Amino acid sequence: MSGLSLLPWQAPALSEALDRLRTSAAVIHGDAGGGQLELALALAKAWLCEAPRAPGAPMAPGCDACPSCHLVDQGYHPDLKVIVPEALQASLGWEHGPDDAGDDKGDGKKRKPSAEIKVDAIRQVVTFSQSTVSRGRAKVVVVHPADRMNTIAANTLLKTLEEPPGHVRFVLSCGSLDDLLPTVRSRCQAWRLPTPEAAQVREWLQGQGGTRLSDADAEMVLAAAGGSPQGALELLQMGWSPELWRGVLPDIERGRAGNWASWPLPKVVDLLQKLCHDLACLCAGGAARFFPADALHAQGQLERLTAWSIELRKVQRHADHPWNGPLKIEALLFQARRAVASGKRV
Ligand SMILES: [Zn+2]
């Protein structure tokens, strides 16, 4: 189930987290796609590691050799509970557990994996926390991303977070702390994931196989992903290229669907939101953030772009629904073309 290892630049962050996080409930926050889950699992592994340690010695990362570390790596540690949304389980290649009931709606049709963390999963956490420790060291619960807990799930977790049984440690993770319910946030020690050096991320992206990326292209894809290393990798895996990215605005102006139009709907909406953001910035005399400045030109009217951004936000709320994708893309393209048009003709 696990198989996730620390990102190459995270070793110092892990040492710092082991040193700083001493309460029973912690929340790791930082830009989405920065490796929060990898770090949370590494913390769990360290806390559960059974390698001998001198009394009072500082916590060290998992030894990778003891039975406990092996069990964490294989995803079968009886004292570790990892809660992620079903949709993320699927994209990580983790199999659904035997208790993930409800794979079909009773009519034989597969249900779409949920992007939320539901109350059933949190009830399992409560039961897990109350049971005895299997291997004698501790019990660890990882909830990622914690802001995907729906309100009922979050409220169900509160009591256990507030008064956890002595041997249980919680690691929650999220993008922005503001995305968590204040009641959850206030019960956890917050720790911000350090931002990695751009050069380290660039090197990592360049080592990910597939296309060979120049330094400039690596920087471009990182900007396209809003600075998120894992987001940039995901873009590359979806077929992102500098040409595709530079072609987005010309594609739209010609009413043409570029290769990006075949991405999953939420990704297309995200791309359009980034374009809308950058054009609005240029319009207002600011700088583009996601697209290279020379791939855009200041055009359109701010009012029209603002109206477009409101429309896109509405679509974004429902973008996960498997509604008639191609039709939706066509409508989005039409809307985009109208929004970026200059002059008064449209
Ligand atoms: Zn170990």
Side-chain angles (χ1 to χ4, degrees), residues 45 49-51 62-69:
K45 190 169 165 179
C49 175
E50 290 162 5
C63 71
D64 282 332
C66 73
S68 172
C69 283

PDB file of all heavy atoms in Angstrom, residues 45 49-51 62-69, ligand 1:
ATOM      1  N   LYS A  45       6.751   6.146  10.239  1.00  0.00           N
ATOM      2  CA  LYS A  45       7.744   5.069  10.209  1.00  0.00           C
ATOM      3  C   LYS A  45       8.786   5.271  11.315  1.00  0.00           C
ATOM      4  O   LYS A  45       9.165   4.321  12.015  1.00  0.00           O
ATOM      5  CB  LYS A  45       8.422   5.084   8.834  1.00  0.00           C
ATOM      6  CG  LYS A  45       9.310   3.919   8.526  1.00  0.00           C
ATOM      7  CD  LYS A  45       9.646   3.991   7.048  1.00  0.00           C
ATOM      8  CE  LYS A  45      10.803   3.117   6.672  1.00  0.00           C
ATOM      9  NZ  LYS A  45      11.096   3.196   5.233  1.00  0.00           N
ATOM     10  N   CYS A  49       9.410   2.819  14.417  1.00  0.00           N
ATOM     11  CA  CYS A  49      10.653   2.041  14.203  1.00  0.00           C
ATOM     12  C   CYS A  49      11.108   1.370  15.504  1.00  0.00           C
ATOM     13  O   CYS A  49      11.059   1.962  16.577  1.00  0.00           O
ATOM     14  CB  CYS A  49      11.753   2.965  13.677  1.00  0.00           C
ATOM     15  SG  CYS A  49      13.347   2.156  13.520  1.00  0.00           S
ATOM     16  N   GLU A  50      11.543   0.117  15.391  1.00  0.00           N
ATOM     17  CA  GLU A  50      11.906  -0.664  16.579  1.00  0.00           C
ATOM     18  C   GLU A  50      13.411  -0.807  16.766  1.00  0.00           C
ATOM     19  O   GLU A  50      13.868  -1.579  17.606  1.00  0.00           O
ATOM     20  CB  GLU A  50      11.235  -2.045  16.484  1.00  0.00           C
ATOM     21  CG  GLU A  50       9.723  -1.950  16.655  1.00  0.00           C
ATOM     22  CD  GLU A  50       8.964  -3.172  16.158  1.00  0.00           C
ATOM     23  OE1 GLU A  50       9.608  -4.158  15.755  1.00  0.00           O
ATOM     24  OE2 GLU A  50       7.718  -3.132  16.146  1.00  0.00           O
ATOM     25  N   ALA A  51      14.186  -0.071  15.983  1.00  0.00           N
ATOM     26  CA  ALA A  51      15.647  -0.146  16.151  1.00  0.00           C
ATOM     27  C   ALA A  51      16.009   0.410  17.525  1.00  0.00           C
ATOM     28  O   ALA A  51      15.412   1.380  17.969  1.00  0.00           O
ATOM     29  CB  ALA A  51      16.342   0.667  15.071  1.00  0.00           C
ATOM     30  N   GLY A  62      13.204   6.357  10.346  1.00  0.00           N
ATOM     31  CA  GLY A  62      13.098   4.905  10.409  1.00  0.00           C
ATOM     32  C   GLY A  62      14.380   4.247   9.897  1.00  0.00           C
ATOM     33  O   GLY A  62      15.028   4.771   8.992  1.00  0.00           O
ATOM     34  N   CYS A  63      14.731   3.088  10.496  1.00  0.00           N
ATOM     35  CA  CYS A  63      16.022   2.471  10.156  1.00  0.00           C
ATOM     36  C   CYS A  63      15.965   1.718   8.836  1.00  0.00           C
ATOM     37  O   CYS A  63      16.991   1.332   8.284  1.00  0.00           O
ATOM     38  CB  CYS A  63      16.443   1.523  11.274  1.00  0.00           C
ATOM     39  SG  CYS A  63      15.417   0.022  11.336  1.00  0.00           S
ATOM     40  N   ASP A  64      14.769   1.474   8.308  1.00  0.00           N
ATOM     41  CA  ASP A  64      14.580   0.749   7.044  1.00  0.00           C
ATOM     42  C   ASP A  64      14.931  -0.734   7.156  1.00  0.00           C
ATOM     43  O   ASP A  64      14.945  -1.445   6.155  1.00  0.00           O
ATOM     44  CB  ASP A  64      15.407   1.351   5.895  1.00  0.00           C
ATOM     45  CG  ASP A  64      14.763   2.603   5.342  1.00  0.00           C
ATOM     46  OD1 ASP A  64      13.525   2.709   5.435  1.00  0.00           O
ATOM     47  OD2 ASP A  64      15.496   3.480   4.851  1.00  0.00           O
ATOM     48  N   ALA A  65      15.300  -1.208   8.347  1.00  0.00           N
ATOM     49  CA  ALA A  65      15.763  -2.587   8.461  1.00  0.00           C
ATOM     50  C   ALA A  65      14.936  -3.419   9.438  1.00  0.00           C
ATOM     51  O   ALA A  65      14.851  -4.633   9.294  1.00  0.00           O
ATOM     52  CB  ALA A  65      17.235  -2.596   8.887  1.00  0.00           C
ATOM     53  N   CYS A  66      14.333  -2.776  10.433  1.00  0.00           N
ATOM     54  CA  CYS A  66      13.614  -3.555  11.457  1.00  0.00           C
ATOM     55  C   CYS A  66      12.278  -4.061  10.892  1.00  0.00           C
ATOM     56  O   CYS A  66      11.810  -3.564   9.869  1.00  0.00           O
ATOM     57  CB  CYS A  66      13.403  -2.702  12.712  1.00  0.00           C
ATOM     58  SG  CYS A  66      12.157  -1.428  12.513  1.00  0.00           S
ATOM     59  N   PRO A  67      11.672  -5.048  11.559  1.00  0.00           N
ATOM     60  CA  PRO A  67      10.389  -5.572  11.059  1.00  0.00           C
ATOM     61  C   PRO A  67       9.330  -4.486  10.930  1.00  0.00           C
ATOM     62  O   PRO A  67       8.542  -4.473   9.987  1.00  0.00           O
ATOM     63  CB  PRO A  67       9.987  -6.590  12.129  1.00  0.00           C
ATOM     64  CG  PRO A  67      11.237  -6.943  12.843  1.00  0.00           C
ATOM     65  CD  PRO A  67      12.148  -5.767  12.750  1.00  0.00           C
ATOM     66  N   SER A  68       9.330  -3.533  11.866  1.00  0.00           N
ATOM     67  CA  SER A  68       8.308  -2.487  11.837  1.00  0.00           C
ATOM     68  C   SER A  68       8.458  -1.625  10.575  1.00  0.00           C
ATOM     69  O   SER A  68       7.480  -1.312   9.894  1.00  0.00           O
ATOM     70  CB  SER A  68       8.425  -1.620  13.095  1.00  0.00           C
ATOM     71  OG  SER A  68       7.567  -0.522  12.977  1.00  0.00           O
ATOM     72  N   CYS A  69       9.698  -1.235  10.252  1.00  0.00           N
ATOM     73  CA  CYS A  69       9.932  -0.412   9.052  1.00  0.00           C
ATOM     74  C   CYS A  69       9.477  -1.173   7.804  1.00  0.00           C
ATOM     75  O   CYS A  69       8.881  -0.593   6.897  1.00  0.00           O
ATOM     76  CB  CYS A  69      11.400  -0.025   8.934  1.00  0.00           C
ATOM     77  SG  CYS A  69      11.864   1.311  10.064  1.00  0.00           S
TER      78      CYS A  69
HETATM   79 ZN    ZN B   1      13.137   0.547  11.804  1.00  0.00          ZN
END
